[in-house]
Amino acid sequence: MGSAVRVLAEATPATRDRYVDLLRVGSLAVVVLGHWMMAAVTPDGVGNLLAVVPALQPLTWLLQVMPVFFFVGGFSHALSYRSLLRKRPEGSADSDTATSASADSVYAAFLRARLQRLLRPTMVFVLVWGVVALLVQLLGGGGGLTGVTLRLVTQPLWFIGIYLAMVAFTPPLLRLHERYGWGAFAGLAGAAAAVDVLRFAAGVPYVEFLNFAFVWLAVHQLGFLRADGRLGTGAGSASGAGSTPSTGLGALRSLRVPALLAGGGLIGAVVLVAAGPYPLSMVGMPGEKVSNMAPPTLALLAHGLWLVGAVELLRAPAARLLARPRAWRTVVAANGVAMTAFLWHLTAMLGVYGALLALDVPLPEPATAAWWAQTPLRLAAAAALTAALVAAFRTFEHPAPPSATTPAPGSGPLAALGATLCLLGVLGLSTVGLGGLLEGRTALLIAIPVSAPAAVAMTLGGWLLVERAGRGAVRGSDQRP
């Protein structure tokens, strides 16, 4: 693997924006570390450290970095989709009908290319855990920490589901961006604000779930602005994604937009939390009436703005670091296994706790001195087990080679249907978990009851539709994720 990483690193085009790759793996690494730290497991059950020690909740304003990942996704999706558009066969734009058919095929190709890297490792994870869950329950298990594990391991899949929606909405939202620029972002942000007004001031039921789309797609839209160099930091497809930031007065001017985003977002989040119905924590807390995460709120959008501005302010020093071969090879290596590590990190953490309980190792009360003293050992063990799981499953993160033919005209609607089924299936599985398979346990996905087998069937069926619709796509420029 080391030689392969070296070859990939040395073959990196000069135009590639290496900072985007660093943000991708860095944001996932922070999420993994946060999950490991927040787990407060005792012989009596699993709790949340932030609920045990509320004074630590302000740390979520630094550690809740999912907005950064979705922002990076917007940048990458814009580059990938535009690359596929440029690779359309000549003569496809001879008429409006031909143009529509060509765009339809490109959409199917785009969905297939993006969903492969998400769903291949995800479905392996789900199927492995599904077999384990079924065997455990057939043998009469499923209680204690095992039962908790069966419920928890699929919860991070909500992120995959939201990301699938972003991929599916990229073409229409990219067209809005190209026409309205910042206005498209403002429209989504305004819609998110309107949803919260209807939710908290008017008490409209179920309206809050719309912000799963408006909040995260607004952050995603910022990635489009970055791809066109409209965040002022020198990144943009027109000037080269890997262009070097300017220096002197020009550098100061290029930081103006990121500084406004960071300052305005931070001030907005503080005001909303202080004066509004929003909790302090930017992650969900057990038993709270309002969560900033599920569904997302305007406060979380403001938090996302400040994080996007902050990471853009750090772009220049990070670019200098990534110019070093060793640093870049590390990012390349991590980029190739990041999704697999994310999928299996809770398995590793709960496995460590299960081993400690099985060996009768005392588990101190969370947040005590003894608990903090034991933390480095638990983290090291979880990291080692995650590395072992990555070694076992990393091959499924590599996308299959593209087919030799192009998607047929009219394949776009079939691909969109498949993506919708994948989205609903993955979100449903994150909600219901893998416990109670034999009892037919269900959970509500917004207002619809869904079981784990139904969720898996929707995901697999949707993926097959996307594969059928998009087979034969020519791979374009792929600035991941």
Side-chain angles (χ1 to χ4, degrees), residues 123 127 421-422 455-465:
M123 292 315 303
L127 293 176
L421 289 174
C422 288
V456 173
M458 281 193 291
T459 307
L460 279 173
W463 189 18
L464 290 175
L465 288 178

Side-chain angles (χ1 to χ4, degrees), residues 144-430:
L145 183 60
T146 302
V148 172
T149 299
L150 294 180
R151 293 197 305 272
L152 289 182
V153 290
T154 63
Q155 282 188 4
L157 295 182
W158 73 266
F159 149 75
I160 305 290
I162 297 298
Y163 202 77
L164 286 172
M166 292 179 175
V167 172
F169 280 108
T170 288
L173 288 179
L174 189 56
R175 287 193 292 270
L176 284 177
H177 159 74
E178 289 167 349
R179 182 171 182 178
Y180 298 108
W182 279 98
F185 163 78
L188 288 168
V195 164
D196 273 12
V197 170
L198 292 174
R199 175 187 181 184
F200 294 116
V204 177
Y206 298 116
V207 70
E208 63 268 25
F209 293 104
L210 291 173
N211 267 351
F212 276 113
F214 293 141
V215 168
W216 291 127
L217 288 176
V219 175
H220 189 250
Q221 206 78 7
L222 290 173
F224 295 166
L225 290 162
R226 188 189 196 277
D228 285 348
R230 301 185 68 173
L231 295 190
T233 52
S237 56
S239 59
S243 57
T244 303
S246 55
T247 57
L249 183 59
L252 292 177
R253 288 175 178 170
S254 73
L255 296 177
R256 182 168 51 193
V257 174
L260 288 173
L261 284 176
L266 185 58
I267 292 170
V270 169
V271 170
L272 288 169
V273 168
Y278 306 101
L280 174 63
S281 174
M282 290 298 164
V283 301
M285 289 288 100
E288 63 185 358
K289 293 182 179 179
V290 176
S291 167
N292 281 320
M293 275 289 294
T297 64
L298 186 61
L300 184 64
L301 176 56
H303 169 71
L305 293 181
W306 108 255
L307 279 181
V308 167
V311 298
E312 285 298 284
L313 290 173
L314 296 173
R315 180 176 179 267
R320 290 192 292 270
L321 173 65
L322 293 173
R324 301 175 182 176
R326 181 175 296 180
W328 178 235
R329 285 197 299 271
T330 301
V331 172
V332 170
N335 218 10
V337 298
M339 190 57 61
T340 303
F342 174 80
L343 287 167
W344 291 98
H345 78 279
L346 280 185
T347 301
M349 180 198 72
L350 292 167
V352 168
Y353 275 112
L356 293 175
L357 289 172
L359 295 172
D360 291 326
V361 176
L363 292 179
E365 284 297 314
T368 61
W371 187 88
W372 286 111
Q374 195 186 67
T375 295
L377 295 176
R378 289 197 308 270
L379 294 181
L385 185 51
T386 300
L389 290 167
V390 165
F393 296 107
R394 69 186 181 198
T395 185
F396 298 103
E397 190 161 346
H398 302 154
S403 302
T405 58
T406 56
S411 54
L414 184 64
L417 174 61
T420 301
L421 289 174
C422 288
L423 163 66
L424 295 175
V426 171
L427 288 179
L429 193 57
S430 74

Side-chain angles (χ1 to χ4, degrees), residues 89 92 97-109 405-415 468-471:
S92 62
T97 302
T99 301
S100 176
S102 177
D104 210 39
S105 299
V106 169
Y107 181 61
T405 58
T406 56
S411 54
L414 184 64
R468 178 180 177 183
R471 190 172 294 121

Side-chain angles (χ1 to χ4, degrees), residues 49-137:
L49 178 65
L50 298 178
V52 176
V53 189
L56 294 177
Q57 291 182 15
L59 290 177
T60 62
W61 289 49
L62 293 174
L63 299 178
Q64 169 50 286
V65 293
M66 274 304 175
V68 175
F69 192 93
F70 294 145
F71 162 66
V72 168
F75 174 88
S76 303
H77 296 157
L79 266 59
S80 179
Y81 185 70
R82 286 169 171 170
S83 177
L84 286 171
L85 283 176
R86 290 193 298 270
K87 292 177 181 291
R88 285 184 294 183
E90 292 185 8
S92 62
D94 289 342
S95 66
D96 291 342
T97 302
T99 301
S100 176
S102 177
D104 210 39
S105 299
V106 169
Y107 181 61
F110 172 75
L111 284 183
R112 178 178 183 264
R114 306 310 286 184
L115 263 60
Q116 270 194 347
R117 190 156 189 240
L118 283 174
L119 290 183
R120 279 165 59 91
T122 299
M123 292 315 303
V124 169
F125 169 81
V126 168
L127 293 176
V128 169
W129 260 112
V131 170
V132 171
L134 189 59
L135 289 175
V136 166
Q137 291 167 67

